[in-house]
Amino acid sequence: MELEVRHLRALCAIADTGSLHQAARRLGVSQPSLTTQLQRIEKSMGAELFRRGRTGCLPTLLGHAVLSRARPLVDGMSALVGAAMAEAEAARAGGPRLRIGSTASRVIGGWLRGLRLRLPGTDISLRVDVSARALLGEVAAGRLDVAFVHEVEGCPLAVPDGLVQRVLLEREPQFISLSRDHPAAVRPVVDLDDLADDRWMVDPSVDGEWDGVRRVLGAAGLDPPVLHGDYLTAASLVVLGEAVAPCQPTSVPRDDMAIRPLRGDPLAVRLLLVSRQGADTDAVYGELEAAYRDAARRAEDYHRWLLRHRSPLAQTS
């Protein structure tokens, strides 16, 4: 078997996610297909590159050695392809363009609308990804101009060299979503102890999400049952009272779901706009800030939180 860049990319994805399931999801292939591919790679190497266990996939000593040489090759190929595609796209478009990326956020719609009004004639594209790391890689490779990402508290992102950050919010609290019938839903603020007997649902494919929740629950001496899945599924389970889930504070309450702050704000993220060095992000950042302020004003509980903490984002103008 002759190794190709796609094989090296698969090894890097497995190492980054620590899971064959999550790596397959990132690569857009089935888990059995990725498992077979890894077995073929290891057979060609003559030894295991990863040890599989209950906690996931961890590189062996040989795996670390291979990865240390594979990553520069994968990054270099991505940069080459990205630069070529960017040049070709620019030649076709013949006008200004803006390629933005974002992790899931309630502010994306308002941000896009504001940018289109502020930058008429600019070709604006959007890529949404659950992985902040993947988006940062796209910016570093030149396939995105900026990325709006969140960094889970206690789980810092590895920002590639050559990128700069602008902080939109140093600490955004994460609220909790629960069914309207939940006993804690009648309270304006929920204690973690009120949720000790609930199933918690988190999306492990979101960088740092599960580690952040596990750290906070452990610090509180809690060990509730945890379900893993995407947040669209989580919402349906929350409504039925089958789970509770962390959520963005800009989430708007529904008739069948309550959104409440957690006492002491134990769960939090940092909001960042990331671009390459030298890029002019004033207009992009300004519209992002305006969209965020508008979304916060619509979420009454969060707007009150911002006012209590004297955040400039609580201002209406």
Side-chain angles (χ1 to χ4, degrees), residues 13-14 17 19-32 34:
I14 296 169
T17 62
S19 160
L20 282 167
H21 173 72
Q22 292 182 43
R25 182 174 173 182
R26 175 180 291 188
L27 295 167
V29 300
S30 68
Q31 181 175 335
L34 182 59

Side-chain angles (χ1 to χ4, degrees), residues 189-237:
V189 179
V190 175
D191 290 288
L192 279 176
D193 287 343
D194 297 332
L195 311 173
D197 296 327
D198 290 286
R199 296 182 186 88
W200 283 64
M201 189 159 188
V202 296
D203 187 343
S205 64
V206 178
D207 296 328
E209 193 90 346
W210 169 223
D211 289 337
V213 170
R214 181 169 49 188
R215 176 180 60 83
V216 167
L217 293 175
L222 302 179
D223 186 23
V226 176
L227 306 175
H228 289 168
D230 64 273
Y231 283 120
L232 182 61
T233 303
S236 64
L237 294 180

Side-chain angles (χ1 to χ4, degrees), residues 40-249:
R40 292 183 62 205
I41 295 172
E42 290 178 326
K43 184 177 180 180
S44 72
M45 293 281 185
E48 285 189 340
L49 300 178
F50 293 91
R51 287 195 177 89
R52 286 74 135 180
R54 288 185 177 181
T55 58
C57 294
L58 295 176
T60 62
L61 287 176
L62 176 60
H64 281 295
V66 171
L67 287 164
S68 68
R69 292 167 173 78
R71 289 189 189 280
L73 296 173
V74 171
D75 292 343
M77 180 59 70
S78 296
L80 185 154
V81 174
M85 291 177 63
E87 291 298 326
E89 186 178 341
R92 288 195 301 270
R97 62 188 176 132
L98 176 63
R99 300 160 301 169
I100 65 177
S102 179
T103 48
S105 172
R106 300 277 175 177
V107 309
I108 292 176
W111 187 26
L112 274 177
R113 183 174 61 247
L115 285 171
R116 294 194 187 282
L117 292 174
R118 185 163 178 169
L119 304 172
T122 299
D123 179 17
I124 301 175
S125 61
L126 169 69
R127 172 179 170 179
V128 177
D129 198 303
V130 296
S131 171
R133 282 196 291 257
L135 291 170
L136 296 184
E138 293 292 288
V139 177
R143 290 187 289 271
L144 291 175
D145 297 308
V146 296
F148 176 45
V149 299
H150 68 270
E151 177 183 72
V152 176
E153 192 167 70
C155 306
L157 291 170
V159 179
D161 293 338
L163 301 188
V164 294
Q165 310 170 40
R166 293 184 69 169
V167 179
L168 177 70
L169 193 59
E170 189 63 43
R171 193 172 194 271
E172 180 195 67
Q174 298 301 280
F175 285 6
I176 196 77
S177 60
L178 57 165
S179 73
R180 283 288 180 185
D181 296 331
H182 195 289
V186 299
R187 301 170 190 162
V189 179
V190 175
D191 290 288
L192 279 176
D193 287 343
D194 297 332
L195 311 173
D197 296 327
D198 290 286
R199 296 182 186 88
W200 283 64
M201 189 159 188
V202 296
D203 187 343
S205 64
V206 178
D207 296 328
E209 193 90 346
W210 169 223
D211 289 337
V213 170
R214 181 169 49 188
R215 176 180 60 83
V216 167
L217 293 175
L222 302 179
D223 186 23
V226 176
L227 306 175
H228 289 168
D230 64 273
Y231 283 120
L232 182 61
T233 303
S236 64
L237 294 180
V238 167
V239 167
L240 294 173
E242 290 296 319
V244 298
C247 66
Q248 298 173 19

